[in-house]
Structure formats: C-alpha cells, structure tokens
C-alpha cells in the first residue's frame, strides 16, 4: 500500500501529464508558406492537398533541395 507521499507524487504526475496534453492540443502547426519561395523569392501559387488549399514554401523541388542544404 502506498503512503501519502507516493499518492501525492502520483497525483502530481497525473496533473503534469494533463497540463502537457492540454498545451500540445492547443499548438497550431502552420507549415504553409507566405506566397513566396524561401530560396529564390518567386511567387508560389496555392495547391490543393487532402481537400485543403495549401501554400507551398518553395516554388520547385530544386529550390527546396538548395534551401534544405543551406539551412541544416
């Protein structure tokens, strides 16, 4: 049988887990671009992806490759 310190520790951990889950659920991950390529600055048009309109961050695969190479 756990003593009151163990019980308090379990309750504290449960409250921590709940708070962390709540914060993670509130986080909005925006991976869309702003309409210009991160590498060359060209205009990037929106595309449909999984039924949603998304704005890519790069205008082409070559720019993405260059940007990833230079920003790692």
């Amino acid at each position: 049988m756990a003593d009151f310190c163990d019980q308090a520790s379990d309750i504290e951990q449960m409250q921590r887990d709940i708070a962390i889950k709540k914060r993670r659920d509130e986080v909005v991950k925006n991976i869309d671009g702003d309409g210009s390529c991160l590498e060359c600055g060209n205009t990037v048009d929106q595309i449909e992806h999984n039924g949603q309109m998304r704005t890519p961050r790069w205008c082409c695969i070559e720019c993405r490759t260059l940007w990833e190479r230079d920003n790692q």
Side-chain angles (χ1 to χ4, degrees), residues 12-49:
E12 185 180 13
Q13 184 62 48
M14 180 182 66
Q15 290 173 334
R16 243 187 255 115
D17 292 342
I18 290 170
I20 290 170
K21 183 184 180 326
K22 182 179 177 186
R23 291 297 296 164
R24 284 185 177 153
D25 290 345
E26 293 172 356
V27 172
V28 175
K29 296 177 183 166
N30 185 5
I31 61 169
D32 288 341
D34 62 0
S36 62
C37 178
L38 292 176
E39 181 63 26
C40 68
N42 286 340
T43 302
V44 179
D45 296 326
Q46 286 189 331
I47 59 170
E48 184 177 346
H49 182 260

Side-chain angles (χ1 to χ4, degrees), residues 11 15 64:
I11 291 170
Q15 290 173 334
R64 186 186 83 178

